Amino acid sequence: MTSPYPFSAVVGLPDLRLALLLTAVSPAIGGVLVRGEKGTAKSTVVRGLAALLPEVDVVAGCRFACDPAAPDPSCPDGPHAVDASLTGAVRRRSALVELPVGATEDRVVGTLDLQRALGDGVKAYEPGLLAAAHRGVLYVDEVNLLPDHLVDLLLDAAAMGRAHVERDGVSVQHAARFLLVGTMNPEEGEPRPQLVDRFGLVVGVASPTTAAPRAEVVRRRLAYEHDPAAFAARFVEEDAALAARIAAARRALPGVSLPDHQLDRIARICLAYRVDGLRADIVVARTAVALAAWHGRTVVTKDDLRDAARLALPHRRRRDPLDPPGADQERLEEILEQELGGPDDDPDGGDGGDERPDGDPDTGGPSPAGTPPEGDGTDGGFDGGPSGPGGRGGAGGAPQQPAGGARDQRAEGAGDQRAEGTEPPAVEPAPSGGPATAPAGELAFAQAPYKTRLLKIGGRANRQHGAHAGRRSPAHGRHGRVVRSRQPSGGKLVTLHLPDSVRAAALRGASRVHARDLREAVKVGREANLVLFVVDASGSMAARQRMTVVKTAVLSLLRDAYQRRDKVGMITFRGAAATTVLEPTASHEVGVLRLAELRTGGRTPLAAGLLQAARTLHGERRRDARRRPLLVVVTDGRATSGPDPMTVTPALAGVPAVVVDCESGPVRLGLARRLARALSADCVPLSALSTAAAHPGS
């Protein structure tokens, strides 16, 4: 078996390493979410952590890793007798279990054999990944792409520390306490806010921006690939020292004191930062205590509070569903400076350790505000650089990107201007970082979004075989309301329809249910779609502030698509051509940014927009045939450039579509309705898109 890449061999990334070490010291912190672009060693660091975790004692033969000193009373492999002497225990390494994005629900929580349960009265249960991760680490790569039903399972397990399997009156539960670690690329979309909130700490990572650390990363990687065992042997002592320090900090954790005046500071910081709920206060307190134990202190200091707040708070303040987490780093820094920047006011005569030795190679974490990093940052050790998701640390002074990232901050800025009705600067920076340029065309600004009516696809898709769960269009699947039953078509029975199974046995005159009597429940739920917007950005849209209304409508539809877990894409047409301003993606925040930058002017090449939509949908169908598209054309139907749009509508035959009619004024030509008929689409007037318009009394 290939040796894992050593944790100590990773170059830079001090905030990430510190966050992982703190959660290893105190799993009650709630895990770590790692945000960063691809190729920034997120997975490598997480996998290296498993080798540092202390070994655990488990009951011999227990598939659920029960602690022999305090076994789970409801363990399916139990009951186990309490073994204080650990004579019946087996010692093993803490498990690192990876949850793949494509995992099924049965693979995560475990499988119940319903045929044996009904026929033989036996609870035949096969444990899943949650059972395997108990008392270890559950690692979810690309956690933002995890399906909703798996997110719900993780939320339940993280909140209760237990996993439940409920199938038609048959119930099994077991302990599932684990360190949850997730990694994600913000460009691929944000996870649900409820899931983000379950992570105690969030860290943003970025690639080094200077040559020396980048070269050192490549040098070490090549050495590891050439001889993994020899490379790992170079860092055995450093990893062993970190493992010993984790174990020592765990032992010292119960003896760390959090004074009342420091607890008051935490409350004031969280109130000033306007976080939601009280989980933030609890996580900051737990992280500060873990930091004190990690540094060998018995009392929490204000430096511990500062570093804990920078790791635990940036992702907990969101004003809008499309606001990325971590977009208020400057505000957090101001609050920390106000609450912690002055002289210590400890009534007992000092914090007893605010000053931290410079250059401590084992701290792995943030240093006081304003302290420059020591050394050149090329040794890969814990360089004590500036902390927090917004600081600059790591190898060679590489930036530790804010938890939302610079791209997300720009998107949020657009959202703020939208919500407040103010106008951003008309001059945009050049993509290459060169001189600012003023793109041609007029720039309109969206107003506050509203709740839109549901635009959905008719008919029902079949999601039985891995299509995309969501909240828009009807679809058959494993979740939803039961509409009928049927005989299993082959393979394992997934969802039992108990009444019809009993009825089938009764019709045969049998006294018990046999395998041939079993009936499978057919359920109808909802699926996520690809919503492709085709937006008219020609000069006619600038008349009478029409583009402001259109942008507000598209912004509202983008928010609706986010809430329904859809992918989104956007095509605009003006002048003589159509442009794909947003390739289909799950990153709705990027869609908000592109919409804010959209300018109007020129003629109306409607046919070009429709052809571009056909090409885009054809490419997406080849990538993911299970996701059904919904085309939303926002136009008044006029075409003043290019061919007649009626000649290109056959290219979109069979594509579910909605035409949002933007025509206004006393004289209306009805061209959008004509286009809708050609596309076999619904036609919705722009004024009727809001639910308030549909229900004026609400």
Side-chain angles (χ1 to χ4, degrees):
M1 181 178 179
T2 304
S3 302
Y5 195 91
F7 188 86
S8 301
V10 175
V11 177
L13 307 181
D15 288 347
L16 172 55
R17 292 190 290 179
L18 177 64
L20 292 172
L21 291 170
L22 291 178
T23 52
V25 170
S26 177
I29 288 173
V32 182
L33 175 62
V34 188
R35 299 167 48 87
E37 58 196 13
K38 52 185 177 293
T40 49
K42 301 185 296 294
S43 301
T44 300
V45 180
V46 174
R47 293 189 176 104
L49 175 68
L52 306 182
L53 297 178
E55 294 182 337
V56 295
D57 293 312
V58 301
V59 174
C62 179
R63 298 174 295 169
F64 302 86
C66 277
D67 185 352
D72 178 16
S74 61
C75 176
D77 285 353
H80 305 299
V82 177
D83 186 2
S85 63
L86 303 182
T87 54
V90 176
R91 175 156 289 193
R92 73 176 195 189
R93 302 196 68 89
S94 295
L96 173 66
V97 177
E98 297 192 29
L99 194 162
V101 172
T104 63
E105 181 177 339
D106 289 345
R107 183 71 184 96
V108 176
V109 298
T111 304
L112 274 173
D113 190 335
L114 294 176
Q115 296 183 17
R116 289 191 61 191
L118 289 174
D120 303 331
V122 177
K123 288 186 179 180
Y125 176 63
E126 184 66 28
L129 297 178
L130 295 182
H134 179 48
R135 305 176 68 197
V137 179
L138 181 64
Y139 171 47
V140 187
D141 193 17
E142 304 294 350
V143 66
N144 52 323
L145 304 182
L146 205 63
D148 272 5
H149 66 283
L150 296 187
V151 170
D152 293 336
L153 293 175
L154 285 183
L155 290 176
D156 290 341
M160 298 182 294
R162 306 194 66 80
H164 295 263
V165 183
E166 302 284 348
R167 292 284 173 81
D168 302 292
V170 181
S171 176
V172 173
Q173 60 174 299
H174 60 82
R177 293 183 297 274
F178 45 80
L179 172 60
L180 180 61
V181 181
T183 57
M184 58 168 287
N185 183 350
E187 295 178 355
E188 296 172 338
E190 293 293 336
R192 285 168 52 182
Q194 298 94 325
L195 180 61
V196 174
D197 188 57
R198 288 294 180 185
F199 287 96
L201 310 179
V202 172
V203 179
V205 297
S207 301
T209 56
T210 55
R214 296 179 75 94
E216 182 63 18
V217 170
V218 176
R219 187 178 298 114
R220 295 188 180 192
R221 188 68 198 183
L222 293 177
Y224 172 74
E225 293 175 354
H226 176 70
D227 191 343
F231 181 82
R234 292 167 47 189
F235 297 90
V236 166
E237 293 185 2
E238 294 179 47
D239 273 6
L242 286 175
R245 189 171 177 182
I246 291 173
R250 279 190 175 185
R251 292 192 297 269
L253 194 67
V256 176
S257 172
L258 177 61
D260 285 345
H261 73 282
Q262 301 289 30
L263 192 55
D264 291 340
R265 281 173 165 168
I266 293 175
R268 290 197 299 268
I269 291 170
C270 293
L271 281 172
Y273 198 56
R274 297 172 59 192
V275 299
D276 295 328
L278 292 172
R279 184 175 285 116
D281 305 58
I282 297 172
V283 172
V284 173
R286 288 173 174 168
T287 306
V289 171
L291 274 164
W294 177 251
H295 291 299
R297 293 191 284 265
T298 58
V299 179
V300 171
T301 69
K302 66 180 182 181
D303 281 342
D304 296 328
L305 297 189
R306 177 183 293 110
D307 297 340
R310 286 172 170 168
L311 292 172
L313 290 185
H315 63 292
R316 299 187 184 277
R317 184 172 185 252
R318 303 182 73 174
R319 295 180 300 275
D320 185 271
L322 290 179
D323 286 345
D328 287 325
Q329 188 68 29
E330 292 184 3
R331 175 59 181 156
L332 178 59
E333 294 293 339
E334 293 173 0
I335 295 170
L336 294 179
E337 182 65 25
Q338 178 182 349
E339 293 291 340
L340 306 175
D344 190 5
D345 55 358
D346 189 342
D348 298 325
D351 279 335
D354 274 354
E355 293 186 3
R356 183 179 304 168
D358 290 335
D360 179 359
D362 292 330
T363 61
S367 60
T371 304
E374 297 285 342
D376 60 4
T378 60
D379 60 358
F382 291 107
D383 56 18
S387 82
R392 292 182 64 85
Q400 283 289 102
Q401 185 172 305
R407 180 184 297 103
D408 291 338
Q409 289 186 12
R410 292 195 299 270
E412 192 217 4
D416 288 346
Q417 292 150 358
R418 168 198 73 228
E420 298 173 7
T422 58
E423 296 187 0
V427 177
E428 300 289 340
S432 63
T437 60
E442 298 183 22
L443 184 61
F445 306 99
Q447 298 174 346
Y450 49 79
K451 184 177 181 180
T452 65
R453 60 188 292 181
L454 174 60
L455 306 180
K456 62 182 179 180
I457 300 174
R460 295 172 180 172
N462 187 349
R463 293 198 296 105
Q464 290 282 4
H465 303 289
H468 306 279
R471 300 172 184 158
R472 183 173 296 277
S473 302
H476 291 289
R478 296 185 177 182
H479 303 276
R481 60 186 178 87
V482 177
V483 294
R484 60 185 177 87
S485 68
R486 64 185 178 191
Q487 287 189 318
S489 57
K492 186 180 296 185
L493 179 68
V494 176
T495 305
L496 177 71
H497 196 293
L498 185 57
D500 283 5
S501 299
V502 174
R503 186 179 298 112
L507 290 174
R508 285 195 310 108
S511 60
R512 57 184 295 182
V513 177
H514 292 275
R516 57 181 170 176
D517 302 319
L518 295 179
R519 297 294 182 268
E520 184 179 42
V522 178
K523 296 183 177 181
V524 173
R526 292 195 176 273
E527 67 173 348
N529 300 120
L530 164 61
V531 182
L532 181 62
F533 297 96
V534 180
V535 183
D536 185 349
S538 62
S540 64
M541 301 301 288
R544 296 186 294 274
Q545 301 297 315
R546 187 187 297 176
M547 199 59 192
T548 295
V549 179
V550 169
K551 276 195 172 184
T552 303
V554 176
L555 178 64
S556 304
L557 290 169
L558 276 171
R559 177 191 287 216
D560 180 71
Y562 167 83
Q563 294 170 337
R564 299 185 187 280
R565 313 305 294 168
D566 299 314
K567 287 182 69 174
V568 294
M570 189 181 304
I571 295 169
T572 64
F573 54 93
R574 67 178 180 125
T579 304
T580 302
V581 297
L582 179 66
E583 293 287 349
T585 177
S587 183
H588 301 76
E589 296 84 0
V590 180
V592 173
L593 178 61
R594 297 291 187 269
L595 182 66
E597 296 171 344
L598 180 60
R599 294 175 178 270
T600 59
R603 300 175 70 83
T604 312
L606 176 55
L610 298 176
L611 286 175
Q612 185 69 9
R615 286 190 289 266
T616 300
L617 293 176
H618 178 71
E620 285 299 305
R621 193 177 297 114
R622 296 178 62 181
R623 294 186 188 94
D624 187 357
R626 299 190 306 268
R627 190 184 292 271
R628 294 196 294 171
L630 175 62
L631 179 66
V632 179
V633 184
V634 185
T635 181
D636 58 8
R638 290 183 174 87
T640 60
S641 176
D644 183 351
M646 297 300 111
T647 63
V648 301
T649 53
L652 292 166
V655 175
V658 174
V659 176
V660 178
D661 186 0
C662 301
E663 192 173 27
S664 61
V667 179
R668 306 196 180 193
L669 303 178
L671 298 177
R673 285 190 175 84
R674 178 171 173 250
L675 175 64
R677 287 193 296 270
L679 293 173
S680 299
D682 293 332
C683 185
V684 180
L686 184 61
S687 59
L689 197 59
S690 167
T691 54
H695 306 283
S698 60

